[in-house]
Amino acid sequence: MALRMCPHGYRQPQPLISAVSFTKSASRSFRFSVRSSIPESGQSRKLVLEVKEKLAKDYRSLPLGKYGRDDEEMILWFLKDRRFSVDEAVGKLTKAIKWRQNFGMSELTEEKVKRVAETGKSYVHDSFDVNGRPVLLVVASNHFPGVHDPEDDQKLCAFLIEKALRMLSPGKDDILGIVDLRNFGPANADLKFLTFLVSFVNKPRLTIGGKEIQFCWCRSLKMGRTIRLLSW
């Protein structure tokens, strides 16, 4: 089973089509035209600036810089996702930026998650899959609730997802996550962390905009089969 999830909590922005019209000619053939509702680049730029102005005026306390209220790449992604509705984009952006700020995403480092990472419960693979995507591996049987502070597990999750997303090559928009359920038992079950994970991937613009995570849940697969999964 494969579950496709976006770390921002939204689907990958789809092509926007506002109207399709058909015309029947005398020769009994049909002609059709498609009009896109995606603004021209100049208009998109104006909308980005409009969002920036609203954020600067109404949410001055929000941070600036990467993933801040003046991050134009992030603003454009939210505009596309919200079908270029300025008000909706502003609403989602403020929630996303506040979440990152409260969770302390900018403060996460390799050293801070080292102790939990050493369990081998999750890591970013050194190699990419056959489609050139970074691969995030989760070994569920190495996770034991209560051994570590739940907050440390959450920080490791957030850190590794962002690490994988930073490895994306230009033009690539998704990473692959593989959850290995072999040898998974009741002692490994963690409803609290699962609740966090669902909440995490549904936080808008949690990491790099427009990037998608595809998770494959593997229970009894040999390595050869797992490798074939990487081509999905």
Side-chain angles (χ1 to χ4, degrees):
M1 177 177 68
L3 174 63
R4 300 181 71 84
M5 294 187 287
C6 176
H8 331 297
Y10 299 107
R11 63 195 178 285
Q12 192 80 354
Q14 300 297 319
L16 305 179
I17 300 175
S18 60
V20 179
S21 60
F22 293 86
T23 303
K24 185 177 180 180
S25 67
S27 61
R28 302 188 65 176
S29 62
F30 288 86
R31 298 177 181 178
F32 72 92
S33 61
V34 179
R35 185 173 72 252
S36 173
S37 62
I38 301 177
E40 297 293 334
S41 58
Q43 182 64 20
S44 297
R45 175 63 179 168
K46 290 180 180 179
L47 293 175
V48 168
L49 294 177
E50 186 176 344
V51 170
K52 285 180 67 175
E53 290 175 3
K54 280 182 173 290
L55 290 173
K57 178 182 177 181
D58 301 330
Y59 300 94
R60 294 184 62 84
S61 62
L62 293 179
L64 300 172
K66 191 68 174 175
Y67 307 128
R69 60 178 170 84
D70 61 341
D71 185 335
E72 294 190 2
E73 179 191 4
M74 181 168 72
I75 291 173
L76 179 59
W77 190 92
F78 267 101
L79 280 169
K80 291 178 179 178
D81 183 78
R82 297 292 88 192
R83 296 183 177 272
F84 291 93
S85 168
V86 170
D87 290 337
E88 289 187 22
V90 168
K92 297 300 182 181
L93 270 164
T94 55
K95 291 180 181 179
I97 295 172
K98 287 178 180 178
W99 191 91
R100 290 186 63 93
Q101 192 175 31
N102 294 335
F103 190 76
M105 289 295 296
S106 62
E107 301 171 3
L108 294 181
T109 64
E110 198 94 41
E111 186 62 30
K112 288 187 176 181
V113 300
K114 180 179 179 180
R115 187 169 63 91
V116 183
E118 288 176 344
T119 63
K121 66 177 68 179
S122 185
Y123 58 95
V124 177
H125 203 281
D126 293 333
S127 301
F128 293 79
D129 78 342
V130 295
N131 293 317
R133 299 175 296 186
V135 179
L136 174 61
L137 288 163
V138 178
V139 183
S141 61
N142 287 344
H143 175 68
F144 294 94
V147 174
H148 296 96
D149 188 320
E151 186 173 324
D152 291 336
D153 289 325
Q154 296 171 7
K155 289 180 178 179
L156 176 64
C157 173
F159 176 80
L160 290 179
I161 288 179
E162 283 224 326
K163 178 180 179 179
L165 290 170
R166 286 195 298 268
M167 294 168 61
L168 284 169
S169 302
K172 297 293 183 180
D173 289 323
D174 54 64
I175 71 173
L176 175 67
I178 297 179
V179 181
D180 186 351
L181 296 177
R182 289 172 295 181
N183 302 317
F184 176 84
N188 308 117
D190 190 346
L191 182 59
K192 184 175 182 179
F193 179 76
L194 183 60
T195 301
F196 164 79
L197 180 60
V198 172
S199 172
F200 180 85
V201 297
N202 277 284
K203 287 294 180 293
R205 188 61 193 204
L206 183 61
T207 48
I208 300 173
K211 310 309 180 187
E212 183 178 81
I213 305 173
Q214 173 176 314
F215 277 99
C216 295
W217 305 80
C218 315
R219 185 165 184 82
S220 58
L221 302 174
K222 296 181 179 180
M223 183 55 68
R225 176 56 177 162
T226 303
I227 291 175
R228 286 196 290 274
L229 277 174
L230 300 185
S231 65
W232 285 12

